[in-house]
Amino acid sequence: GENVGLHLPTLSVQEGDNSIINCAYSNSASDYFIWYKQESGKGPQFIIDIRSNMDKRQGQRVTVLLNKTVKHLSLQIAATQPGDSAVYFCAEKGGSARQLTFGSGTQLTVLP
Amino acid sequence: GAVVSQHPSRVICKSGTSVKIECRSLDFQATTMFWYRQFPKQSLMLMATSNEGSKATYEQGVEKDKFLINHASLTLSTLTVTSAHPEDSSFYICSAIAGAGQETQYFGPGTRLLVL
């Protein structure tokens, strides 16, 4: 995920439906991935992480899927609620590096 | 656990003045803190990595003399925007890692800077 673009991709879902947010990452050496949620005017909030030795990890109402073959990461939110409306960022980290590289983000809007 | 605070939450200053932003880890010791800048509807851009007791490492294109970083203790890092100009107006966010071997970054609530 490169930090590119002057606008955020958007996803609108009906309340109660499931949401799937996708992220393509660029570094095949990345071995740790995180999803963050950022509400307007606030800092990013940790949602869930996954290491490269796994392809799926579940949390409360959220699931992260990792496909290393095509360098793709997804976040699934079950039974999406109005409070889930926010910008969601994927972030990757490789090896001994401590810095995260953030994707461009996706604006999720939950419709009533 | 893993709470990071920032102060102030927003600041308005005149062009040419300097502004200091504080980042604190409230319930853990942070050996490493990071400073990001975020423009509207864009992603987070890493500015610098701050290690306790040593000089900060700046990303390419970030002026170290303009964005002064001090990480004097395991719970506090400061970012000073010197001689601020309107183009420095942005959302500044810090994050912290809870110790060596840890990977998850916990973010502060951000500081909105507006330079008039």
Side-chain angles (χ1 to χ4, degrees):
Chain A
E2 294 285 335
N3 293 346
V4 297
L6 297 178
H7 67 276
L8 292 171
T10 59
L11 173 66
S12 295
V13 298
Q14 291 293 139
E15 181 178 356
D17 287 352
N18 297 333
S19 303
I20 300 177
I21 300 171
N22 297 302
C23 177
Y25 64 94
S26 56
N27 186 356
S28 57
S30 292
D31 58 5
Y32 181 59
F33 305 87
I34 309 176
W35 279 101
Y36 286 97
K37 171 186 179 183
Q38 187 179 28
E39 296 177 86
S40 181
K42 298 182 179 180
Q45 176 187 358
F46 173 87
I47 301 175
I48 192 169
D49 60 359
I50 188 169
R51 298 191 184 279
S52 59
N53 60 353
M54 303 172 68
D55 53 22
K56 179 179 181 179
R57 190 164 187 225
Q58 289 184 291
Q60 187 177 11
R61 273 203 312 121
V62 294
T63 301
V64 55
L65 298 177
L66 174 62
N67 185 331
K68 295 181 288 295
T69 302
V70 295
K71 292 188 285 188
H72 183 267
L73 194 67
S74 69
L75 177 69
Q76 300 178 2
I77 304 173
T80 314
Q81 302 168 1
D84 296 326
S85 293
V87 177
Y88 289 81
F89 292 99
C90 66
E92 61 183 295
K93 188 181 82 67
S96 60
R98 307 211 79 184
Q99 297 90 339
L100 290 174
T101 300
F102 278 81
S104 56
T106 297
Q107 171 74 61
L108 174 66
T109 301
V110 181
L111 305 172
Chain B
V3 178
V4 177
S5 70
Q6 281 184 240
H7 178 80
S9 58
R10 56 177 64 218
V11 56
I12 301 173
C13 69
K14 293 182 179 180
S15 185
T17 61
S18 294
V19 174
K20 179 185 284 189
I21 302 170
E22 293 184 348
C23 177
R24 293 182 185 272
S25 56
L26 298 186
D27 51 1
F28 64 99
Q29 292 186 328
T31 54
T32 304
M33 289 182 169
F34 301 89
W35 286 97
Y36 295 83
R37 181 167 52 183
Q38 185 179 34
F39 293 106
K41 298 197 180 299
Q42 293 191 30
S43 189
L44 283 74
M45 182 181 73
L46 180 65
M47 300 175 66
T49 302
S50 169
N51 295 297
E52 188 267 336
S54 63
K55 290 184 178 180
T57 303
Y58 290 81
E59 294 300 301
Q60 191 172 11
V62 178
E63 301 175 57
K64 62 180 181 180
D65 294 332
K66 180 168 182 61
F67 298 99
L68 301 179
I69 291 173
N70 184 281
H71 193 162
S73 79
L74 286 171
T75 59
L76 174 64
S77 176
T78 60
L79 168 68
T80 302
V81 183
T82 61
S83 186
H85 291 284
E87 58 266 29
D88 297 324
S89 298
S90 188
F91 193 49
Y92 291 87
I93 312 171
C94 72
S95 70
I97 292 179
Q102 300 298 311
E103 293 185 288
T104 305
Q105 288 187 29
Y106 296 96
F107 284 82
T111 296
R112 178 76 60 191
L113 171 64
L114 176 62
V115 184
L116 302 177

